Amino acid sequence: MGKTTASWQIFDQLVEEGERPALVDLDLLGASWPVPDDDPHNERLKARNLGAMWQNFYASGVRCLIAAGVVETRENLDLLRDAVPGAVTALCRLRAGDHELAARISGRGRERGDGAAKLAHRARQLSAQMEAHDVADLVVDTDNHSIAEVARLVRSGADWPGRIL
């Protein structure tokens, strides 16, 4: 849905404005195998890694954390909030229509054939799940917006200046 691209845009804007940001990809913080049976998306590991990274970022002068990733449940959000106490100002969900989701996945070029179709199907499922059980503080529609516009909408909707997760 443009999470990583929007996050980089926000990061670049903040650097240009003289802020001291850090950017993390939550999916990469949990990219390990095998995963626990009771935590198939490695949410606990993501939160622990985020907490450790935030301590290091903060010690090096970073004062703004941007984290790109999927937060499906209130429990997962609580794990992240507990990992970085007081640092989560706003959770923003980016929303894209089904057609746009499929186009973005195929446009990335990482997935081919059946893999792209499966990922597009999963993206539609996840989008519907998040729509039904939203835990976000704000939602930004991304269809028909440039990445710069999406970044502006996220920043204006969040408690800014502050930290965005």
Side-chain angles (χ1 to χ4, degrees):
M1 292 186 196
K3 299 176 301 293
T4 303
T5 304
S7 296
W8 274 113
Q9 180 74 32
I10 292 168
F11 177 86
D12 289 343
Q13 290 174 359
L14 292 171
V15 169
E16 289 175 16
E17 294 168 12
E19 296 287 341
R20 302 172 103 177
L23 173 62
V24 297
D25 184 316
L26 293 175
D27 289 338
L28 294 177
L29 297 185
S32 66
W33 193 258
V35 297
D37 290 338
D38 65 339
D39 190 11
H41 301 293
N42 255 344
E43 300 300 334
R44 291 188 303 264
L45 180 61
K46 290 176 191 178
R48 285 193 309 271
N49 285 338
L50 181 65
M53 291 179 77
W54 175 243
Q55 289 177 16
N56 292 327
F57 285 140
Y58 195 86
S60 70
V62 168
R63 295 300 179 259
C64 176
L65 176 64
I66 304 156
V70 175
V71 180
E72 295 182 50
T73 66
R74 176 72 49 202
E75 292 79 19
N76 292 347
L77 178 57
D78 289 344
L79 283 172
L80 296 171
R81 283 195 163 133
D82 290 346
V84 288
V88 179
T89 299
L91 174 67
C92 178
R93 179 167 58 89
L94 302 181
R95 179 180 11 208
D98 289 349
H99 178 72
E100 185 67 24
L101 283 174
R104 289 179 186 174
I105 289 167
S106 66
R108 292 190 310 204
R110 289 185 291 210
E111 297 83 11
R112 302 269 190 257
D114 192 39
K118 285 179 182 177
L119 189 56
H121 178 72
R122 172 67 178 135
R124 286 191 302 274
Q125 285 180 321
L126 187 57
S127 182
Q129 174 188 337
M130 293 176 80
E131 194 73 37
H133 305 286
D134 200 2
V135 297
D137 299 305
L138 67 137
V139 178
V140 171
D141 288 306
T142 62
D143 289 352
N144 303 313
H145 289 290
S146 70
I147 201 62
E149 291 170 327
V150 169
R152 182 186 54 76
L153 291 168
V154 169
R155 290 186 68 192
S156 68
D159 179 17
W160 201 261
R163 297 166 187 91
I164 298 177
L165 176 72

